[in-house]
Amino acid sequence: ALRPRPGRRHHAAHPSHPEAQELEAHLDALARLDLVVESEPGSFDFRHAVTRETAYDLLPFDLRRRIHRSVAGFLESHGEQERELNYPLLAYHWDRAENHLNALGYYERTGASSLRKGANLEAIQAHSRSLELFARHREELADIDVLRRSQWHLEIAQAEEALSNFDEAEKRLYQALHLLDVKVGSGTVGRMTALAWEAAKQVVHIVLPALIRAPHDDAEKARLAQASRVAALIGEIYYFQGNLSGFPLLNLMAINLGEKSGEPLIAGLAYSNLGYLVGTLRLRRLARRYFDRARTAEDLEAHPQLVAPPYVLELHEMGPGHLIAVALAESVLALTFGELAEARLALENRLLGL
């Protein structure tokens, strides 16, 4: 679309900055040739997509880059609120201008924004393009760390999960874990060995918390916290898939990684999952510990200033259905031990808080 009116917006976006009268004369000539049509006052569109593509293909590559760079700069001059609406356009124009760092930044923002809005396919496309740009221009984008790249895989996985593509979501989450240098056992024997190891670590964390080694630096802390979040989401997928060995293993991994990072409440989802599991096994005190941690994670969401993002997994991102599940799980735990009044009170309090 070509929009020369009102004002001088065209002057700011056009790489040659022509005078308004000159640009309008060209547009009038194109309209007479029936190549463009005034779709609304002051706005012109090419009449046919083939015409637009042919005209674009005839432009020298350097001029194409200049045009895209100029349009991207013009869009960036808007306020932040309007700029957010233009994230996809900004990503596209910086990409075509071959400014890969700027393009990647806006693809990243487009993916995150689309995921929040439930536009899952758009989120997948944007983050997939980020990964493609990084793969093609590793030297130019060498400053992009593994945390950011793992986050792209994580958000693609969340979008895939929302579309019920659990296998693809699982694959993306394991790619994120690989970037974070966290390995999960494979095969039946490997998984059972890993489960026993993670259970032993959790026992040590509970009985001798002073033995938990603190992260060397902020980078390791962030890596462990991100891995905890990824593992918790894999555990959730295994719940939906009915994977009876993977579900406890990944939730235990999430909790151990979170506690090792010094940000245990990032594993709020894993605490609630594991609390329900051990509650059904009549391990009351252990279940209560996990539910208390899950509840604390929820409480911190009401006071986000107490925890520095991106280390906290916000349970409300899972929607009210997940919080209701936590309420039901706690009430089931109480009922298991015959505490009818406590069960009713736990459920009522939780539902009133939604």
Side-chain angles (χ1 to χ4, degrees):
L2 306 169
R3 292 178 170 82
R5 311 181 190 94
R8 300 177 62 81
R9 291 164 65 91
H10 70 284
H11 184 78
H14 198 288
S16 301
H17 305 303
E19 293 297 325
Q21 295 86 349
E22 180 185 354
L23 184 56
E24 289 175 11
H26 287 305
L27 286 168
D28 288 340
L30 290 171
R32 287 195 298 273
L33 293 171
D34 203 30
L35 295 175
V36 299
V37 59
E38 190 168 15
S39 54
E40 58 183 79
S43 179
F44 289 79
D45 295 323
F46 284 100
R47 183 172 288 279
H48 299 291
V50 173
T51 305
R52 182 188 68 239
E53 292 168 4
T54 301
Y56 184 82
D57 289 343
L58 291 172
L59 293 173
F61 287 107
D62 183 62
L63 181 55
R64 294 185 199 179
R65 289 191 290 270
R66 286 171 50 208
I67 291 173
H68 287 295
R69 185 165 57 247
S70 182
V71 172
F74 170 68
L75 292 172
E76 281 189 332
S77 67
H78 297 356
E80 180 58 36
Q81 185 174 4
E82 186 173 352
R83 192 184 311 160
E84 183 174 357
L85 297 174
N86 289 322
Y87 281 166
L89 276 176
L90 281 159
Y92 169 79
H93 286 296
W94 281 125
D95 198 352
R96 290 303 182 94
E98 297 185 10
N99 187 321
H100 303 121
L101 184 61
N102 282 2
L104 190 147
Y106 281 111
Y107 279 124
E108 187 175 46
R109 296 176 200 174
T110 298
S113 176
S114 298
L115 186 64
R116 287 195 301 270
K117 297 172 184 175
N120 297 303
L121 291 176
E122 289 79 357
I124 293 169
Q125 291 168 357
H127 285 314
S128 296
R129 181 57 180 163
S130 293
L131 290 164
E132 183 181 348
L133 281 176
F134 181 83
R136 290 185 177 182
H137 308 283
R138 285 179 177 272
E139 292 185 5
E140 181 184 347
L141 302 173
D143 290 338
I144 305 298
D145 60 28
V146 295
L147 278 181
R148 286 180 67 180
R149 287 151 53 202
S150 69
Q151 184 67 21
W152 304 338
H153 283 293
L154 186 151
E155 293 189 5
I156 290 175
Q158 288 178 307
E160 294 285 7
E161 183 182 5
L163 295 170
S164 299
N165 298 328
F166 296 120
D167 290 342
E168 183 63 26
E170 180 187 354
K171 183 181 82 172
R172 289 291 185 172
L173 289 170
Y174 272 109
Q175 288 174 326
L177 279 185
H178 176 73
L179 285 172
L180 297 166
D181 197 27
V182 174
K183 298 177 177 60
V184 182
S186 59
T188 303
V189 175
R191 286 295 175 92
M192 296 308 295
T193 302
L195 178 58
W197 177 245
E198 294 296 332
K201 284 197 290 187
Q202 180 59 192
V203 170
V204 172
H205 285 197
I206 294 171
V207 178
L208 298 169
L211 294 182
I212 301 175
R213 182 181 62 83
H216 292 302
D217 50 33
D218 289 342
E220 185 185 7
K221 177 177 181 176
R223 180 184 67 83
L224 292 170
Q226 179 78 335
S228 173
R229 182 180 188 184
V230 173
L233 291 173
I234 299 176
E236 181 181 53
I237 288 174
Y238 282 160
Y239 171 80
F240 290 122
Q241 292 178 331
N243 188 325
L244 298 181
S245 62
F247 176 71
L249 169 59
L250 270 297
N251 280 294
L252 275 170
M253 284 188 66
I255 291 172
N256 288 333
L257 288 165
E259 292 176 347
K260 187 176 180 181
S261 74
E263 298 285 349
L265 298 182
I266 190 176
L269 176 63
Y271 279 122
S272 64
N273 287 341
L274 212 55
Y276 180 74
L277 177 63
V278 299
T280 59
L281 298 175
R282 303 184 70 82
L283 301 175
R284 181 187 178 189
R285 291 183 62 184
L286 186 58
R288 177 52 57 197
R289 175 183 189 269
Y290 292 139
F291 279 132
D292 287 343
R293 290 292 183 98
R295 185 165 23 318
T296 303
E298 291 179 40
D299 292 341
L300 279 175
E301 290 170 15
H303 305 89
Q305 71 276 11
L306 299 179
V307 183
Y311 304 136
V312 172
L313 173 59
E314 298 178 349
L315 295 178
H316 69 259
E317 289 181 357
M318 305 300 166
H322 174 72
L323 299 182
I324 291 172
V326 173
L328 291 172
E330 287 193 298
S331 65
V332 167
L333 174 65
L335 285 171
T336 301
F337 296 95
E339 299 170 350
L340 301 181
E342 182 180 336
R344 184 175 61 203
L345 182 61
L347 186 57
E348 288 177 352
N349 289 341
R350 184 69 64 177
L351 294 179
L352 287 173
L354 298 178

